Amino acid sequence: MKQPSGFVDPTLPSHVCRLHKSLYGLKQAPRAWYTCLSDFLLSIGFIASKVDTSLFILSDGTNIFYLLVYVDDILLTGSNSAMLHHLVQLLSSEFKLRDLGDVHYFLGIEVQSTGMGLMLRQHKYILDILTRAGMTTCKPVDTPVSPSKLAIQPDHPFSDPTRFCQIVGALQYLTFTHPDICFAVNKVCQYMHAPTDSHWVAVKHIIRYLKGTASYGFHITRGTSFALHGFTNADWAGSIDDCKSTGGYLVFFRQTPISWKSGKQRIVARSSTKAEYKALADGTAEVIWLQYLLTDLQVPSISAPTI
């Protein structure tokens, strides 16, 4: 880094400053941090996943360990408690870190351990959205979007577009644990550039639905089956704005949904068959990626996925 203006050493004007630690805000900081962390993990025996750059795997034949990193938040798990403690000590010797023990909260997702597995939910996050929207006392509804108002008609411009974008952005992150709102959130996301009053009514409808489902979550249970199966679907020319279709998929690992998407297709389908096949292709691509990921995780594939 060049010497800051006003702090140039007069005896060494051509010298530069050397950073001993990556700082937030620098363009190269994320890349430098990831390079530093990944080089260290590879040096102690971890192998980087080929399909997910944030996943590292360590296997010695009898034990297996997974390390998942998101910037400077790290999840570490494995089959041997003593070895896990040793890995934490190795990381502590190289980086300044805090071991928070068993995971309870990660990136806004609450993790609750049960006798049969793990429960994942975003209850606190939903309550925060209700507070930000000023709807903590609203009346719940049964569906995230009104079936009679799927086509949002043009209306007067919304008075606070920034607030609209902030709430819709928060709803986007909520789709990580709420596949039931994916279609509705995708619908309102299409109007973030110029929201109207009717669009804000649609957003409030989603929030009212969340009021009644705030405690909902996923129960990931133990099991011996490692089968993948998925569902795909699409409408045909459902958008009144550009006649494009909306497709989506939902993929299950055993009985737990692990991947989903709902979005407008990029091209105009000239038949319902083409719209359905495009959704099927998207779902198939996701299942293939998940197969590669499970292979990296050394999870045995007993049967071919069903879509």
Side-chain angles (χ1 to χ4, degrees):
M1 186 177 72
K2 293 182 180 179
Q3 298 183 60
S5 178
F7 294 89
V8 177
D9 188 339
T11 60
L12 302 169
S14 61
H15 279 217
V16 295
C17 298
R18 178 180 178 182
L19 291 177
H20 294 285
K21 182 179 180 181
S22 299
L23 303 175
Y24 284 100
L26 298 178
K27 292 182 179 179
Q28 69 271 28
R31 186 184 301 109
W33 160 242
Y34 177 80
T35 300
C36 179
L37 177 63
S38 60
D39 288 346
F40 177 75
L41 292 174
L42 295 176
S43 70
I44 62 175
F46 277 92
I47 297 175
S49 170
K50 296 179 181 179
V51 295
D52 188 345
T53 56
S54 62
L55 176 65
F56 295 86
I57 302 141
L58 174 63
S59 176
D60 60 4
T62 57
N63 297 305
I64 189 166
F65 304 91
Y66 305 125
L67 186 144
L68 190 67
V69 56
Y70 181 83
V71 190
D72 56 355
D73 294 306
I74 296 174
L75 285 178
L76 177 63
T77 187
S79 56
N80 187 302
S81 300
M83 186 62 181
L84 273 177
H85 181 68
H86 176 65
L87 290 174
V88 171
Q89 288 183 326
L90 286 177
L91 287 168
S92 300
S93 66
E94 185 71 15
F95 307 104
K96 183 180 179 180
L97 60 82
R98 285 189 301 164
D99 181 8
L100 301 179
D102 293 340
V103 59
H104 298 289
Y105 200 79
F106 187 74
L107 302 180
I109 299 175
E110 302 162 36
V111 183
Q112 180 183 357
S113 179
T114 67
M116 295 296 295
L118 294 174
M119 176 68 77
L120 305 181
R121 59 165 64 95
Q122 290 178 279
H123 182 251
K124 183 179 181 298
Y125 187 78
I126 292 176
L127 297 181
D128 291 341
I129 293 177
L130 288 168
T131 301
R132 290 170 59 184
M135 299 177 61
T136 54
T137 59
C138 66
K139 183 179 179 181
V141 292
D142 295 330
T143 59
V145 62
S146 174
S148 61
K149 297 181 180 179
L150 289 178
I152 303 176
Q153 300 296 333
D155 200 354
H156 298 292
F158 184 55
S159 58
D160 192 353
T162 300
R163 185 188 182 199
F164 181 92
C165 293
Q166 289 174 342
I167 297 297
V168 172
L171 292 175
Q172 282 184 296
Y173 188 70
L174 190 58
T175 58
F176 283 133
T177 59
H178 276 261
D180 46 347
I181 66 171
C182 276
F183 174 80
V185 171
N186 174 262
K187 192 73 176 178
V188 296
C189 282
Q190 298 171 23
Y191 304 97
M192 293 180 70
H193 62 286
T196 66
D197 290 339
S198 61
H199 300 150
W200 178 244
V201 171
V203 171
K204 291 198 296 184
H205 192 99
I206 300 173
I207 297 175
R208 290 175 61 195
Y209 171 76
L210 293 173
K211 176 67 181 296
T213 59
S215 61
Y216 285 19
F218 290 121
H219 193 196
I220 304 176
T221 57
R222 297 187 181 96
T224 56
S225 172
F226 300 107
L228 281 172
H229 64 280
F231 299 88
T232 68
N233 201 0
D235 65 6
W236 182 39
S239 174
I240 62 172
D241 299 322
D242 51 17
C243 293
K244 290 184 178 179
S245 307
T246 298
Y249 57 78
L250 178 63
V251 183
F252 286 79
F253 181 62
R254 295 199 296 263
Q255 301 302 317
T256 304
I258 60 171
S259 182
W260 49 84
K261 180 183 179 181
S262 175
K264 185 187 290 187
Q265 296 179 356
R266 295 184 178 181
I267 60 174
V268 176
R270 300 177 64 181
S271 68
S272 59
T273 303
K274 186 173 183 178
E276 294 282 1
Y277 268 105
K278 180 63 174 69
L280 179 62
D282 292 340
T284 301
E286 182 69 10
V287 168
I288 291 174
W289 180 83
L290 288 170
Q291 280 186 296
Y292 282 119
L293 179 61
L294 292 175
T295 300
D296 280 353
L297 294 174
Q298 301 186 17
V299 175
S301 178
I302 300 176
S303 59
T306 302
I307 301 177

